[in-house]
Amino acid sequence: MVSVGATNGISTPMRILDLLRAEKQISRVEIAARSGVTQATVTNVVKTLMDAGVVREGTREQLSRGAPRRMLELVPAAWYAIGVQIDSTTTTVVIADYAGIRVASASLRGPGSLSPAAAIAELVDHVDDLLLSASIPRERILGACLVTYGPQDREAGKLLTPQPTDEWYGFPLATSLSEALGLPVLLENDATAAAIGEQAIGLVPTSTFGLLFMSTGVGGAVVVDGVPYRGRSSNAVEIDHVVVNPGGAVCLCGTRGCVGAEAQPLAVSALAFERPGLAARLDLRGTDDEGLADFERLARAARGGDAEATELLAASADYLGLAVVTMFNLFDIDTLVLTGPAFRTAGPMYRTRIEELVRERAAGRDLSQPQILISADVEQAAPMGGALQVLRTIPPPTPPSG
């Protein structure tokens, strides 16, 4: 596909495809008005996209005057993309069509103590099974996006953290998965991918917002005027390393009292074992691969009125709330989305406490009322965002001439 101009590093064809993905149907005139591209350029690019088989003419829109406009739409089955969100205990795979609609998904166990090579081999088997069950031809897959916690070297496709084991630090994850799948593979931060997914869902009422992603760990993202803020090395908004309890528990980064050490689900689950009888009463397992499941058991107990479980989650929510206040003050946002598997049951409780703290302490609270939202799809916003990143980044092959 030929690029004929770019804004914010996005080619004109990709911008037009983004508009079609967001609006479902849109006319050439509206594309020109919304994208800032000339009508002539839109006409040429749309022709190229139609020749490539990814855009087609749909219904006609009757105007009050003149001939009806022919609406354009994407061809959903033209291409597909794979998004894979992985952490130590859970892995979620999503397949999206070219219109950005989820057509298949699966959840499986995380890598746990597996080596990266063994985890990739297991993942590829699951992807193959999912493609087969969904009757999606492999040759129509544009690529995959591996969504993980940070910090990471996004360009090299490597994690820069020894999680879940030391073997994972610096391992060429993206390259290895690409070779195993036979497809291009991107690496993306889980919180950033989730923010991209939230934009696609279309429930966030602003183009500038923050996001808190919580699975076994905690991550953050900020979107500014519709574009994820990445920082110098695509590791921006590492909210899990904001200090909220000086002198507290030691974090992986070596600092004491970080959000990750005090408030993430694995830390909360570990604290439950320090309460006499609580772990046994709630059937907590205490193993690394059960950390997120233990947190879910605590969340369900808290929802049912268990005082000790409620106390543990409330302390975690308070620490996260302090970090979120810092996000609001640093980035001058007034909206934050909570997403990630840990918020499946605990979301409403965290939302209430975090919103209370933000409305009490955020510097800009008198200018606009801060609000905390819960994602419409806490389980799959991140892998869905990964699949969308493939659609927005990897152009389909140009069809042969003649």
Side-chain angles (χ1 to χ4, degrees):
M1 190 182 297
V2 179
S3 174
V4 291
T7 298
N8 292 326
I10 303 174
S11 69
T12 298
M14 286 299 190
R15 276 191 286 154
I16 291 174
L17 291 170
D18 273 352
L19 271 174
L20 284 162
R21 211 162 274 130
E23 300 298 328
K24 310 309 178 190
Q25 286 197 339
I26 189 171
S27 70
R28 291 171 177 81
V29 172
E30 290 171 310
I31 290 173
R34 294 277 298 277
S35 66
V37 176
T38 65
Q39 183 70 55
T41 297
V42 169
T43 298
N44 291 334
V45 172
V46 166
K47 181 181 185 306
T48 301
L49 295 172
M50 294 180 72
D51 290 344
V54 298
V55 172
R56 65 190 177 197
E57 290 187 332
T59 60
R60 291 180 182 271
E61 180 187 47
Q62 182 62 57
L63 302 178
S64 57
R65 296 181 180 180
R69 291 177 180 170
R70 176 69 78 175
M71 305 297 282
L72 299 171
E73 62 186 17
L74 291 173
V75 180
W79 296 96
Y80 298 86
I82 300 170
V84 179
Q85 189 260 318
I86 184 172
D87 67 20
S88 59
T89 65
T90 58
T91 296
T92 304
V93 182
V94 163
I95 300 176
D97 65 22
Y98 204 64
I101 304 300
R102 182 175 63 235
V103 295
S105 62
S107 294
L108 47 140
R109 68 176 186 177
S113 60
L114 290 177
S115 69
I120 286 172
E122 188 173 279
L123 174 60
V124 170
D125 286 342
H126 284 285
V127 169
D128 288 341
D129 289 345
L130 189 58
L131 290 173
L132 184 63
S133 64
S135 300
I136 298 173
R138 179 177 286 273
E139 62 270 19
R140 305 311 296 177
I141 304 293
L142 275 177
C145 183
L146 186 60
V147 176
T148 75
Y149 41 81
Q152 57 184 218
D153 185 335
R154 188 164 168 261
E155 295 301 319
K158 301 177 181 180
L159 295 185
L160 300 179
T161 179
Q163 298 181 69
T165 67
D166 290 345
E167 289 181 89
W168 289 72
Y169 188 101
F171 185 85
L173 278 177
T175 300
S176 299
L177 183 58
S178 177
E179 291 172 352
L181 285 174
L183 295 167
V185 172
L186 310 174
L187 183 66
E188 184 61 89
N189 178 276
D190 49 17
T192 302
I196 293 169
E198 291 301 326
Q199 287 179 289
I201 293 171
L203 298 181
V204 185
T206 174
S207 61
T208 297
F209 64 95
L211 180 136
L212 187 66
F213 179 86
M214 195 158 78
S215 184
T216 53
V218 181
V222 169
V223 174
V224 180
D225 293 333
V227 179
Y229 174 71
R230 294 188 175 277
R232 174 182 55 83
S233 60
S234 294
N235 287 300
V237 203
E238 284 284 356
I239 195 172
D240 51 332
H241 296 299
V242 173
V243 175
V244 290
N245 184 25
V250 178
C251 180
L252 283 173
C253 70
T255 304
R256 287 185 175 273
C258 293
V259 165
E262 302 288 349
Q264 69 179 6
L266 292 185
V268 176
S269 299
L271 287 172
F273 282 84
E274 298 178 9
R275 301 287 183 105
L278 179 60
R281 180 160 56 81
L282 299 183
D283 194 26
L284 305 185
R285 311 301 167 79
T287 59
D288 289 344
D289 60 350
E290 286 283 334
L292 190 57
D294 280 348
F295 181 81
E296 177 65 14
R297 294 179 185 105
L298 284 165
R300 290 176 180 174
R303 186 178 62 182
D306 187 284
E308 287 188 290
T310 299
E311 185 179 344
L312 288 172
L313 266 65
S316 168
D318 283 349
Y319 283 134
L320 283 174
L322 293 176
V324 168
V325 169
T326 299
M327 282 181 66
F328 271 66
N329 291 344
L330 284 176
F331 294 98
D332 192 25
I333 57 176
D334 62 8
T335 302
L336 180 110
V337 180
L338 303 179
T339 192
F343 289 123
R344 181 189 306 124
T345 299
M349 179 179 180
Y350 276 78
R351 176 192 175 277
T352 297
R353 185 55 185 150
I354 291 172
E355 191 166 75
E356 287 174 354
L357 285 169
V358 171
R359 290 185 174 182
E360 288 172 3
R361 305 187 185 188
R365 62 187 182 275
D366 292 333
L367 293 172
S368 59
Q369 182 79 314
Q371 60 178 333
I372 309 298
L373 308 174
I374 300 177
S375 169
D377 193 346
V378 296
E379 302 276 359
Q380 297 189 348
M384 189 63 195
L388 289 168
Q389 188 68 346
V390 171
L391 298 178
R392 300 173 71 182
T393 305
I394 301 177
T398 303
S401 59

